[in-house]
Amino acid sequence: MDGVPDGVPRVSEQRHPGSSVKSVKSVKSVKSVKSVKSPKSPDPAEPAGPVASPALRFGVLGPVRAWRGDEPVTTGSPQQRALLAALLLREGRTATAAELIDALWGEEPPSQALAALRTYASRLRKVLDPGVLVSESGGYAVRALAEGALDLATAQDLAAEAEKARSAGDLCHARDVLRRALALWDGETLAGVPGPYAEAQRVRLEEWRLQLLETRLDMDLEQGCHAEAVSELTALTAAHPLRERLRELLMLALYRSGRQAEALAVYADTRRLLADELGVDPRPGLSELQQRILQADPGLAEPSSPAPEPAAVPVRPAQLPATVPDFTGRSGFVRELGGLLAAAEGRVMAVSALAGIGGVGKTTLAVHVAHQARAAFPDGQLYVDLQGAGARAAEPETVLGSFLRALGTPDTAIPDSLQERAALYRSVLAGRRVLVLLDNARDAAQVRPLLPGTDGCAALVTSRVRMVGLAGAHLVDLDVMSPDEALALFTKIVGEERVASERKAALDVVGACGFLPLAIRIAASRLAARRTWTVSVLAAKLADERRRLDELQAGDLAVKATFELGYGQLEPAQARAFRLLGLADGPDISLPAAAAVLDLPVEETEDLLESLVDTSLLESAAPGRYRFHDLVRLYARACAERDETPPSERGAALSRLLDFYLASAAGVYAIERPGDRLVDHVAATTHEGLSFATSESALDWLFAEAECLLACVTQSLPAPTLRRAASLLLVAKDLSESGASSLFYERAATALCRAAQELGDAHAEAQARTALAQVHVRAGRFDEAAVEAAKAMSLESADDPWSRCNAPLERGVIAFYKNQLEDAETYLSIALDNFREDANAPGEASALCNLSRVHLALGKTNTAISLAEQGIEIYDSLGAALRLANGRYALGLALTAAGRYDDALAQLAAALAVFRENRQPLWEGVTHFRIAEVHLAAGRPPLAAAHAEQAIALRGIGGEWRRGTVLTVLGKALLGLGQPDRARACWNEALTIYEKLGSAEAREVRALLSPVVS
């Protein structure tokens, strides 16, 4: 690979013109700078002598320094440090006085050079350990250093280890080791050391560092870390514009990140630069890459070699659920499906789709076959429950995100759209042999984006419907068991001894179960748990047709008969728990939430839930979390409607769950936003929530409960609970601001708004519309946001201080983004007055910071700074770290406009650290964008480009509109770096975004594009 050494360079001395120092050997042949050990180490068995002083350590990959343990050792004047560096780099070999004089002063040494040299050596000898600096044969040498005493030697050892790991195919370890090697550099090598020898070594060691850096970046791209590499490569190409290997890696990273136009622009900029500076064309490798990009060569879309995973973080997922130990029958299907999977290698992807009624054993069979075929898929097995039978089937984009993470893709490299995720998923799987088990699918449309689409991979799909729309799939219709298979399964669970004496009764039982595996398993489990029952007793119970509900005809009703049998054997407390827990809409439920539903202590609730798990009527999804099988949940709800007395208890249980989520989320909100009055205005609750000791534990709970919490909002829309549902939506605001659950949050807000409008509840509608306006602003949909905020203001009421404050605040923010500055100032002033009237200090600070941005846009820089500082003072007094970061962000913008760039960067950097700590990637992204603006204004285009790239990778508040603003700034930075073609590519993309959105910023971009010449 051009620009990357075949081996690890060993850096030693290099002759300066006119010097008498030996010339360096070739990079491959030079030995490592190794420490010279003492002749003999003390025998561990010998009596211990005096405590040894801490070992000496030396650094040359930066300023020349020395330490004794952790204490710095004075190394003297620049010439004295030059002498020390020259000796350290000679690997313990002796340097003559003439060689050292030549190294320090070159061809024109001072008249007293030899005396000066002796003085420097004497001073060094006094501060170093005895025997380290020795005189020998009229020269000097450094000896008797401990292993790892010199940072350069350590770096060389690490580089050799990385090369060995890479050759063995362990890229993860190689990357990690190279990072450690590169981290040893601390600024410029031999910084501040004079002399021709030091200058020669500085050049050589910097070249080696860049080679190591290129090697590490090349491995980054091999492992699919394209988006992360773009920012670093942009900065490196700016710092080393003539280094073609860096340009090549940047082109590849951009192309794999879906930025083809920019990748080609990098080539055009490179060609122009080389012609202007050196009068040459790009090397063949760079030109070949340009042609491959133009041709959309499929080989560029995947890493050049597989990316092995370190032992701590396996890249070979093994997600298959455990197979049941008593799997019975289905031998024909096992052979058929197993044969198809075994033949997957070297042929078009095999897809097998199993269809059948609920409870027929589709999942059990698929998991069993998948386990048997694991050896044929050495690169891993993926599994997901698509929840197709439920009200909320899994979204394909969500599943793809989970799969990509399981396959080792960083979160920052996972795109937003379904199409992009599906394409990346197929690229990651290319060249691998992976089995994908898609369980409980809704339809073919849900499945298609999740299919690997590559030779050697295979997919198993289970569904209640036949996947006739799945092209090329091998369809398997799974029917109930044969009588023999059903009896064998029943016998395995109940025990041979009990069944042997009552074979006819056992046949009656499995026949009454309709030979449905799930029904047989539950019935047999009940019998196994009741040692006083006989098989005949169970058969007699099932003989009652009123209990069986004619299961042979009704398909899923056969399962209901079996559930009825299990349910009928529950103790009253178990039965009540079963009924009430089935009412909640979330995908699962935590133990504390279940305790709220049942209105019982957590310990008692856990005992009940574990007993239901034992009866197979409930599943343990994870420690402390429980879920129903889809059909069991439906049956539990039917039981609640039929059996729960009084009927009002159903509503009371869901009301307690709502209270639990509201009280807990309000506690999170109070921790994250101290002093905010929203927690004083939420609807009253009667059931307690959780309390949290730290901000981290509070956020952990909120994000873990996101889907269940938002499901509770949409389930609580009837009039009696509507306002509490609105309050829950508001205190869960972090779910929208973090971007983690923004789509679910928006859906919940929309449903709440519709319900409030239908019920004529202006209070709840105003809150829902304000929340929707906030969602639209974050997504860059300013027109939709303006409509919602205006309606919210028209619905304001005196008993709703939150909407009276936040609706005009949002209108002001929206007007600012739409460049309606006078309107923005008016609305924000109204919000400021209302916040003050409500004694809401954080709200007041927010209004002040937003007013600061309006004043800044109006050219009132001094008042903008003053307003932001007032907001920061309020946030600081409250100890509101996250909101203080918002204030620092606003102040950073004002200071930028005032030309106080260092002060602005300090504020923005502090804000960035808080946003990162509080898991606010959207705010992280937009802060990187603002830092890029500061560096651009300060005339530092390399740093501006690097931060703009990070903003693109993290995305940011404002959606596509924000991406357009970042691309505009990135283009300006690239133009400053002498890359006009890539700048034009950025601006063209920004212009497309602005024209699609109808944004006024399109005018500025058109002006930028006009003078750019290729």
Side-chain angles (χ1 to χ4, degrees):
M1 192 174 297
D2 193 30
V4 180
D6 294 330
V8 180
R10 290 299 184 180
V11 183
S12 183
E13 299 171 303
Q14 178 180 357
R15 183 154 62 118
H16 179 76
S19 74
S20 60
V21 179
K22 287 184 181 179
S23 62
V24 71
K25 301 178 183 178
S26 69
V27 168
K28 293 184 182 178
S29 63
V30 175
K31 296 181 180 178
S32 170
V33 177
K34 291 292 184 183
S35 305
V36 180
K37 298 182 180 179
S38 301
K40 181 178 182 296
S41 299
D43 191 324
E46 293 176 0
V51 177
S53 61
L56 279 173
R57 294 185 295 112
F58 297 91
V60 294
L61 300 179
V64 175
R65 291 172 291 187
W67 298 268
R68 182 173 283 104
D70 293 329
E71 293 297 320
V73 174
T74 302
T75 52
S77 66
Q79 283 79 13
Q80 191 169 307
R81 293 197 302 274
L83 171 62
L84 178 60
L87 294 175
L88 288 170
L89 293 174
R90 290 184 66 82
E91 309 175 39
R93 292 178 287 108
T94 301
T96 66
E99 289 175 333
L100 291 171
I101 290 172
D102 185 64
L104 268 63
W105 291 287
E107 297 179 355
E108 297 182 359
S111 59
Q112 300 298 316
L114 181 59
L117 182 68
R118 290 171 177 166
T119 299
Y120 299 150
S122 175
R123 291 173 180 171
L124 285 172
R125 192 178 285 114
K126 290 177 181 178
V127 297
L128 302 180
D129 291 345
V132 171
L133 198 159
V134 298
S135 301
E136 189 175 79
S137 304
Y140 300 96
V142 169
R143 304 272 174 81
L145 296 184
E147 187 75 22
L150 181 61
D151 58 357
L152 175 58
T154 302
Q156 291 171 329
D157 289 340
L158 290 171
E161 182 182 347
E163 183 66 22
K164 182 177 179 181
R166 189 181 191 187
S167 299
D170 190 353
L171 294 187
C172 288
H173 181 61
R175 288 170 67 205
D176 178 65
V177 171
L178 270 188
R179 284 196 185 94
R180 287 160 51 199
L182 289 164
L184 293 171
W185 266 266
D186 185 16
E188 183 185 38
T189 302
L190 303 175
V193 175
Y197 176 77
E199 180 58 31
Q201 290 301 310
R202 214 169 2 250
V203 171
R204 174 163 289 276
L205 289 172
E206 174 61 13
E207 171 63 24
W208 182 49
R209 185 186 72 84
L210 288 173
Q211 290 178 359
L212 294 180
L213 194 53
E214 288 170 343
T215 302
R216 198 218 77 212
L217 286 163
D218 187 45
M219 288 190 285
D220 287 349
L221 298 189
E222 287 187 65
Q223 291 212 297
C225 302
H226 319 309
E228 297 92 330
V230 169
S231 175
E232 186 175 1
L233 283 164
T234 297
L236 285 170
T237 54
H240 307 280
L242 297 177
R243 201 168 182 93
E244 291 184 66
R245 177 56 180 159
L246 290 175
R247 299 273 183 154
E248 182 179 348
L249 291 169
L250 177 57
M251 288 173 64
L252 187 58
L254 286 166
Y255 180 74
R256 289 182 177 172
S257 299
R259 298 160 69 178
Q260 179 178 358
E262 285 187 66
L264 293 170
V266 169
Y267 177 81
D269 287 328
T270 305
R271 183 181 58 187
R272 182 185 307 102
L273 180 67
L274 292 173
D276 292 345
E277 296 290 330
L278 305 176
V280 299
D281 290 328
R283 60 185 181 80
L286 203 62
S287 302
E288 179 186 347
L289 178 60
Q290 182 223 18
Q291 291 301 312
R292 294 179 69 190
I293 291 174
L294 286 170
Q295 297 163 7
D297 185 344
L300 293 179
E302 62 186 48
S304 58
S305 65
E309 196 78 1
V313 187
V315 294
R316 291 185 290 274
Q319 297 183 341
L320 295 177
T323 186
V324 293
D326 50 19
F327 181 84
T328 304
R330 309 295 198 189
S331 55
F333 289 118
V334 171
R335 285 193 300 272
E336 177 184 356
L337 294 169
L340 287 169
L341 295 179
E345 184 175 6
R347 51 171 294 210
V348 177
M349 175 195 58
V351 180
S352 298
L354 286 70
I357 64 172
V360 79
K362 302 180 295 295
T363 299
T364 301
L365 173 60
V367 169
H368 181 77
V369 170
H371 273 283
Q372 287 199 333
R374 284 178 62 186
F377 299 93
D379 296 316
Q381 306 86 39
L382 296 168
Y383 171 86
V384 66
D385 179 2
L386 295 173
Q387 304 175 40
R392 292 180 177 82
E395 299 286 350
E397 54 262 50
T398 303
V399 176
L400 285 170
S402 175
F403 278 359
L404 287 167
R405 279 187 286 273
L407 290 164
T409 307
D411 281 349
T412 53
I414 298 176
D416 282 333
S417 72
L418 172 61
Q419 292 78 11
E420 289 175 317
R421 287 188 177 191
L424 178 59
Y425 170 63
R426 292 190 294 270
S427 297
V428 170
L429 288 181
R432 301 188 188 187
R433 302 207 60 219
V434 174
L435 175 62
V436 183
L437 204 170
L438 305 173
D439 194 17
N440 196 10
R442 178 184 56 203
D443 51 31
Q446 185 190 28
V447 167
R448 286 191 196 98
L450 309 178
L451 298 178
T454 183
D455 294 354
C457 289
L460 275 174
V461 184
T462 74
S463 176
R464 296 187 188 182
V465 298
R466 300 186 79 241
M467 292 285 172
V468 291
L470 210 56
H474 176 76
L475 302 181
V476 176
D477 292 322
L478 197 59
D479 202 352
V480 295
M481 288 181 137
S482 69
D484 289 342
E485 288 177 334
L487 183 60
L489 174 60
F490 182 82
T491 302
K492 279 189 176 181
I493 298 172
V494 174
E496 178 69 29
E497 183 180 349
R498 296 179 75 181
V499 174
S501 60
E502 296 185 271
R503 180 177 175 81
K504 183 179 183 304
L507 287 170
D508 289 340
V509 169
V510 297
C513 289
F515 307 110
L516 200 65
L518 181 59
I520 296 167
R521 181 174 296 279
I522 295 175
S525 297
R526 299 279 62 73
L527 182 60
R530 302 293 188 271
R531 301 304 299 178
T532 58
W533 283 15
T534 62
V535 181
S536 298
V537 170
L538 177 61
K541 290 178 177 294
L542 287 176
D544 185 353
E545 293 185 357
R546 292 172 299 174
R547 297 182 66 85
R548 283 194 292 149
L549 300 176
D550 200 12
E551 64 231 56
L552 294 176
Q553 283 188 29
D556 285 353
L557 292 179
V559 180
K560 183 176 180 181
T562 306
F563 294 159
E564 188 74 37
L565 175 65
Y567 174 67
Q569 302 308 314
L570 296 177
E571 299 295 332
Q574 291 177 312
R576 175 178 177 268
F578 176 74
R579 294 191 300 267
L580 295 183
L581 291 176
L583 297 172
D585 266 355
D588 60 7
I589 192 166
S590 67
L591 181 58
V597 171
L598 302 179
D599 199 18
L600 293 172
V602 170
E603 294 79 7
E604 188 175 343
T605 301
E606 184 174 20
D607 290 342
L608 281 173
L609 268 56
E610 287 298 327
S611 70
L612 290 174
V613 170
D614 291 339
T615 65
S616 300
L617 289 174
L618 191 67
E619 299 176 13
S620 179
R625 302 196 73 88
Y626 300 87
R627 69 184 174 205
F628 282 102
H629 183 279
D630 297 335
L631 296 175
V632 179
R633 182 199 296 273
L634 294 176
Y635 176 73
R637 290 184 175 181
C639 290
E641 292 176 5
R642 182 189 67 194
D643 300 340
E644 198 60 43
T645 56
S648 59
E649 176 60 9
R650 298 198 301 273
L654 290 175
S655 178
R656 290 192 295 269
L657 179 63
L658 175 58
D659 277 358
F660 168 78
Y661 282 135
L662 176 53
S664 301
V668 177
Y669 190 95
I671 291 174
E672 292 300 299
R673 296 170 173 80
D676 195 306
R677 290 294 310 283
L678 172 59
V679 293
D680 300 318
H681 300 317
V682 297
T685 61
T686 56
H687 195 284
E688 293 182 353
L690 298 174
S691 58
F692 305 98
T694 64
S695 174
E696 183 179 6
S697 63
L699 289 175
D700 285 343
W701 177 87
L702 182 67
F703 291 125
E705 293 289 351
E707 199 169 344
C708 295
L709 186 150
L710 294 172
C712 184
V713 171
T714 56
Q715 193 176 13
S716 305
L717 301 181
T721 53
L722 179 65
R723 292 202 176 184
R724 276 185 289 159
S727 293
L728 178 55
L729 184 75
L730 300 185
V731 295
K733 181 181 180 182
D734 277 331
L735 296 179
S736 174
E737 287 195 351
S738 72
S741 303
S742 55
L743 180 60
F744 294 113
Y745 188 94
E746 182 177 352
R747 288 173 179 170
T750 302
L752 176 66
C753 182
R754 188 182 304 115
Q757 191 173 16
E758 291 173 356
L759 292 169
D761 190 328
H763 181 286
E765 185 180 351
Q767 294 182 340
R769 290 193 183 280
T770 304
L772 271 176
Q774 294 170 343
V775 169
H776 289 314
V777 166
R778 292 183 196 102
R781 302 188 292 263
F782 301 122
D783 291 338
E784 294 94 324
V787 171
E788 297 296 346
K791 289 182 179 178
M793 281 192 71
S794 70
L795 293 166
E796 286 178 14
S797 61
D799 68 336
D800 181 17
W802 186 87
S803 296
R804 288 186 66 246
C805 295
N806 284 277
L809 179 70
E810 291 305 317
R811 289 200 75 176
V813 171
I814 295 160
F816 169 75
Y817 280 125
K818 291 170 71 70
N819 206 31
Q820 299 164 356
L821 300 180
E822 293 182 1
D823 289 345
E825 188 170 18
T826 299
Y827 290 128
L828 289 172
S829 297
I830 293 172
L832 181 61
D833 291 341
N834 291 349
F835 278 123
R836 285 172 172 165
E837 181 182 341
D838 188 40
N840 190 330
E844 178 185 352
S846 176
L848 287 168
C849 291
N850 280 291
L851 270 171
S852 167
R853 298 182 63 185
V854 174
H855 279 235
L856 190 61
L858 290 169
K860 304 175 183 178
T861 305
N862 290 334
T863 59
I865 293 174
S866 175
L867 288 166
E869 288 175 339
Q870 291 176 53
I872 286 178
E873 184 177 355
I874 294 173
Y875 284 137
D876 200 25
S877 68
L878 295 169
L882 181 56
R883 297 307 109 190
L884 179 60
N886 292 121
R888 293 191 184 282
Y889 174 87
L891 180 57
L893 302 187
L895 292 171
T896 302
R900 295 165 56 182
Y901 300 132
D902 290 341
D903 293 339
L905 285 173
Q907 295 293 332
L908 291 170
L912 182 64
V914 174
F915 290 140
R916 186 179 297 119
E917 182 180 349
N918 285 270
R919 307 176 219 182
Q920 300 286 323
L922 299 181
W923 275 106
E924 267 191 81
V926 77
T927 306
H928 273 297
F929 163 65
R930 296 303 184 184
I931 293 174
E933 287 187 316
V934 178
H935 284 305
L936 189 64
R940 298 188 283 261
L943 290 172
H947 282 280
E949 287 289 0
Q950 291 185 66
I952 288 176
L954 286 165
R955 309 172 191 103
I957 293 173
E960 280 297 285
W961 174 84
R962 175 63 68 198
R963 179 177 174 83
T965 63
V966 177
L967 285 166
T968 303
V969 167
L970 177 58
K972 292 177 181 179
L974 292 170
L975 187 64
L977 292 173
Q979 301 179 27
D981 285 278
R982 190 176 165 202
R984 177 186 285 276
C986 291
W987 291 335
N988 277 323
E989 185 178 349
L991 183 60
T992 300
I993 292 171
Y994 288 145
E995 288 178 342
K996 182 178 179 180
L997 297 174
S999 301
E1001 288 83 357
R1003 188 181 305 109
E1004 177 196 359
V1005 178
R1006 291 192 192 96
L1008 288 170
L1009 283 165
S1010 299
V1012 178
V1013 294
S1014 298

